[in-house]
Amino acid sequence: MIDFDPFFFAVTIPAILFAGLSKGGFGGGVAFAGSAVMVVILGPAVALGVTLPLLMLMDVTALRPYWRRWDGGAARVLILGAVPGIALAAAVFHLTDPDVFRVLIGLVALGFVGFQLAVKMKLIPAREKPFGRPAGVISGAVAGFTSFVSHAGGPPVAVYLLSQRLDKTTFQATTVLVFWAINLLKFGPYAFLGIFTADTWLAVLLLAPVAILGVWLGVRAHRLVPERWFFGITYVALTLTGAKLLWDGLT
């Protein structure tokens, strides 16, 4: 049962607004933080049930401003990889310890940022070619799995897309498309597992305007932020996301 008291709204409104801002303008890498905050007051399963429909609403809202501005090849590879990742997560949902995967994804995210910093500082030579399709499929599979169990699929997608050297809007549009597909694929298994309840749907209805507002603010911010700042923010977000996942997994 969800207690719809002032404390509920004081916590959930900023969390969902932040998630919408991230998904609308900055690659969605830290949108998972919204569901992480929700877990504190709702518990894991209820938080997943409330957050997924809101994330899907954010995805649909963000599709229009970024329509057909994505990299179709990169998106297809990631979505293709996500399918088995989601299927595996659904099959072992009640048996899986999400902390193991939080630690692994956190290490990958932090390792990638460290690698990029080392290249920038010319400590190691720059990679001449972007990651290929096999790496994209693996990234998609990991994103599908971690997104299913904790809405934390952003880091593996960001790692792959950052390696493709896309411009900021193509990067953002591709992320929007990929997570629109991933979240849509998650909906059926969530319903089958009984994650949605009358209370979760009421919470979704009450928080839907906040989700839309967050995306709108994110789109506006994306258009105003210079490309160099955008990727700087993305790397910072990836670092914070990786550190948070690592901390959550270890503690």
Side-chain angles (χ1 to χ4, degrees):
M1 296 291 292
I2 299 177
D3 188 2
F4 294 97
D5 58 6
F7 179 71
F8 169 83
F9 293 103
V11 173
T12 58
I13 287 176
I16 297 304
L17 190 66
F18 178 78
L21 185 68
S22 175
K23 287 184 74 67
F26 299 98
V30 292
F32 89 97
S35 59
V37 171
M38 304 278 273
V39 169
V40 175
I41 63 169
L42 300 178
V46 177
L48 289 176
V50 172
T51 310
L52 178 60
L54 291 171
L55 292 175
M56 294 175 71
L57 178 60
M58 294 175 196
D59 294 331
V60 173
T61 304
L63 274 176
R64 184 175 180 180
Y66 296 111
W67 187 254
R68 293 189 182 279
R69 304 185 74 176
W70 46 69
D71 183 318
R76 281 192 295 271
V77 168
L78 288 166
I79 294 169
L80 178 65
V83 173
I86 291 170
L88 177 61
V92 301
F93 182 72
H94 293 298
L95 305 174
T96 304
D97 182 358
D99 286 339
V100 174
F101 295 95
R102 289 190 181 105
V103 169
L104 291 175
I105 299 305
L107 289 173
V108 169
L110 293 175
F112 181 78
V113 173
F115 173 81
Q116 294 297 331
L117 281 174
V119 170
K120 187 87 172 174
M121 297 171 66
K122 298 183 179 180
L123 298 176
I124 57 176
R127 180 183 174 88
E128 296 182 359
K129 296 182 179 180
F131 292 140
R133 289 188 176 184
V137 171
I138 293 171
S139 296
V142 175
F145 192 102
T146 56
S147 180
F148 192 96
V149 299
S150 62
H151 294 320
V157 169
V159 166
Y160 178 71
L161 291 182
L162 285 169
S163 80
Q164 304 303 300
R165 303 184 182 90
L166 307 175
D167 65 81
K168 70 169 186 175
T169 300
T170 304
F171 176 94
Q172 172 65 20
T174 306
T175 302
V176 168
L177 180 63
V178 168
F179 281 103
W180 169 79
I182 287 177
N183 288 330
L184 192 62
L185 289 168
K186 286 157 51 179
F187 186 85
Y190 269 40
F192 179 78
L193 291 167
I195 291 175
F196 302 123
T197 66
D199 271 6
T200 61
W201 284 116
L202 177 57
V204 169
L205 182 63
L206 293 171
L207 294 170
V210 180
I212 294 172
L213 175 62
V215 172
W216 181 81
L217 291 173
V219 172
R220 296 277 294 180
H222 177 88
R223 292 170 178 169
L224 294 173
V225 173
E227 186 153 316
R228 183 176 180 182
W229 287 18
F230 173 85
F231 284 108
I233 292 170
T234 301
Y235 278 113
V236 170
L238 191 58
T239 301
L240 293 175
T241 302
K244 179 66 165 61
L245 287 171
L246 188 60
W247 174 263
D248 288 348
L250 293 175
T251 58

